Amino acid sequence: MKIGLLGCGTVGGGVLDIVEKRSDMEIKYVLVRRPRPELGALAVSDAAVILNDPEVDTVVEVLGGLSPSFEYVAAALKAGKNVVTANKHLVAHYYKELIALAKENGAAFRCTPAVGGGIPWLVNLERVARVNPVKEFWGIMNGTTNFILDAMHKNGADFSAVLAQAQALGYAEADPSADIDGLDIQRKCIITANVAFGAMLSEEDVPVAGIRNVKACDIAAAEAHGRVCRILGCGKKTEKGVAAYVEPVFAAAGSLEAAVDKNFNMISFDTEYTGRESFYGQGAGRYPTAYNAVEDCVDILEGVKSFYTDKMEPVSPDNSAEAHPYYVRTSAKSAGLDAAKAEVWGEGVLTKPLSVKEAHDMAALLLKSDPGFFMAGIKD
């Protein structure tokens, strides 16, 4: 296998290190944005060199973002080259287009490192869904936010202080919005739901509530009721379609999710024949993510010539079908919230069960008058 590597940052450097130790594949080119003399003859600054070389049969994309990543990946697939990507934003946003291009041109398209980093999540989801229908999935899919929430529980630390620590350790970007606003999890949730349920959900179908506004009083409220705050991506097959959403959750202190510490991830699915299976490990990082990219290349070498599912049905988003109580802290007045109150939890209130759609619609309204609004689902 001859590989064109698009990007050589943290993950790309890991891919380069791992592939150099193998005899069944080699990296012929590395696309760089600035001079990288240490890469020698491997470095090229023009993607066309890679895309037009017939010897390059596989492209590994680790640039991130939508453009020019989409243009490069689409061109590679049109040229019949296999593509492996760690770019969850790209896959979630252009899901239908990329799967269709791969199928039309007989190329493999794989993105195992895009969801779960080093966790072999998508390949196991692919395997189980062939025989054992997936009813539901949920999980901690972002190491940065889990690191923040875990530290707030264990150290009583302030959100902004822990975020700064996460940035210093390299867990969070200088602009952490994609993590703390839940968008990174949303993208992983979309890919997972589409593979699990043969769906074609997009960003507008999956509501998101992040942790930007979580405070020590919210953590205290959770602990006072035997719970731990985590942020989860969730999806469920319903009678009318698929419920999929991202939100902070007050999980029972004895649950597996509550025990996931630091920057680790854990994702689970519940299936018809075997029930719950959970996958725990490093959700990001140089070698965990790079390892799964190279695993995808090995799968292609061994004959994989497809995506994780061949089902792409126009399934309706159905977030009215999933309901549970919510913890809500806000200074804004809302007749809907007043009607839904069940009891006071510290500086917030617990609601009666609300559908995910009702809760997220309410959140959108309250945020307009209270920028500090925070809510979390109550799930066991």
Side-chain angles (χ1 to χ4, degrees):
M1 174 182 282
K2 291 190 183 294
I3 297 170
L5 179 61
L6 306 184
C8 197
T10 300
V11 176
V15 171
L16 187 62
D17 289 348
I18 295 171
V19 171
E20 283 180 342
K21 296 179 175 66
R22 301 186 64 87
S23 60
D24 56 352
M25 59 183 71
E26 67 171 290
I27 292 178
K28 187 172 182 181
Y29 303 107
V30 179
L31 181 69
V32 296
R33 291 169 169 164
R34 56 180 175 81
R36 296 285 296 273
E38 73 275 15
L39 295 175
L42 291 179
V44 297
S45 57
D46 185 356
V49 174
I50 297 171
L51 299 171
N52 294 331
D53 187 338
E55 279 198 341
V56 174
D57 54 78
T58 301
V59 166
V60 176
E61 186 273 316
V62 288
L63 292 168
L66 295 181
S67 183
S69 297
F70 173 70
E71 290 80 7
Y72 294 161
V73 167
L77 292 171
K78 287 175 183 176
K81 300 182 190 298
N82 305 306
V83 170
V84 171
T85 179
N87 189 342
K88 79 281 295 184
H89 194 185
L90 175 74
V91 180
H93 191 79
Y94 290 109
Y95 186 85
K96 291 180 282 188
E97 295 89 338
L98 293 173
I99 307 309
L101 278 174
K103 192 171 184 179
E104 288 167 11
N105 294 282
F109 181 63
R110 309 292 283 185
C111 58
T112 305
V115 185
I119 299 172
W121 169 247
L122 289 179
V123 290
N124 280 284
L125 190 62
E126 172 187 32
R127 186 173 185 273
V128 74
R130 294 179 302 185
V131 177
N132 193 1
V134 177
K135 298 189 292 184
E136 185 177 4
F137 71 84
W138 65 97
I140 296 166
M141 300 181 179
N142 181 278
T144 301
T145 49
N146 201 67
F147 176 86
I148 292 170
L149 294 171
D150 186 55
M152 290 182 74
H153 274 285
K154 289 181 176 175
N155 307 326
D158 176 72
F159 173 83
S160 58
V162 185
L163 174 58
Q165 183 184 4
Q167 289 170 318
L169 292 169
Y171 297 153
E173 300 290 340
D175 178 1
S177 300
D179 292 325
I180 64 176
D181 291 332
L183 299 178
D184 177 82
I185 304 171
Q186 181 199 43
R187 294 156 188 164
K188 296 170 182 176
C189 190
I190 289 167
I191 299 167
T192 297
N194 286 347
V195 172
F197 308 126
M200 289 190 295
L201 299 182
S202 56
E203 286 105 322
E204 58 266 25
D205 300 325
V206 182
V208 182
I211 65 164
R212 181 182 290 271
N213 292 333
V214 66
K215 294 183 177 180
C217 63
D218 305 316
I219 300 299
E223 292 178 348
H225 292 85
R227 294 182 174 272
V228 173
C229 186
R230 295 290 184 256
I231 180 168
L232 306 183
C234 306
K236 188 175 185 178
K237 194 81 170 70
T238 72
E239 290 184 4
K240 296 181 180 179
V242 171
Y245 55 97
V246 177
E247 64 187 24
V249 165
F250 285 179
S255 67
L256 291 177
E257 288 72 25
V260 178
D261 65 353
K262 300 178 182 176
N263 64 323
F264 281 81
N265 284 194
M266 186 180 72
I267 321 176
S268 305
F269 52 62
D270 180 33
T271 64
E272 185 173 324
Y273 300 130
T274 56
R276 176 177 182 162
E277 296 180 40
S278 299
F279 299 79
Y280 168 86
Q282 286 282 358
R286 183 185 188 95
Y287 290 112
T289 307
Y291 139 80
N292 254 336
V294 178
E295 284 279 17
D296 279 349
C297 291
V298 173
D299 284 344
I300 292 168
L301 269 175
E302 294 181 349
V304 170
K305 269 294 193 184
S306 63
F307 190 60
Y308 305 88
T309 179
D310 58 2
K311 296 178 182 177
M312 292 178 62
E313 300 173 358
V315 177
S316 300
D318 185 24
N319 289 312
S320 295
E322 172 66 12
H324 45 263
Y326 281 84
Y327 164 87
V328 177
R329 174 182 49 74
T330 182
S331 60
K333 301 297 181 182
S334 165
L337 179 58
D338 289 340
K341 284 180 185 177
E343 59 182 288
V344 175
W345 276 28
E347 294 186 25
V349 298
L350 179 71
T351 73
K352 300 170 185 175
L354 298 173
S355 75
V356 169
K357 185 178 188 312
E358 288 174 324
H360 284 257
D361 285 351
M362 178 183 69
L365 288 173
L366 290 173
L367 271 168
K368 291 178 179 178
S369 52
D370 176 15
F373 168 88
F374 177 78
M375 79 173 185
I378 308 297
K379 297 187 72 173
D380 294 320

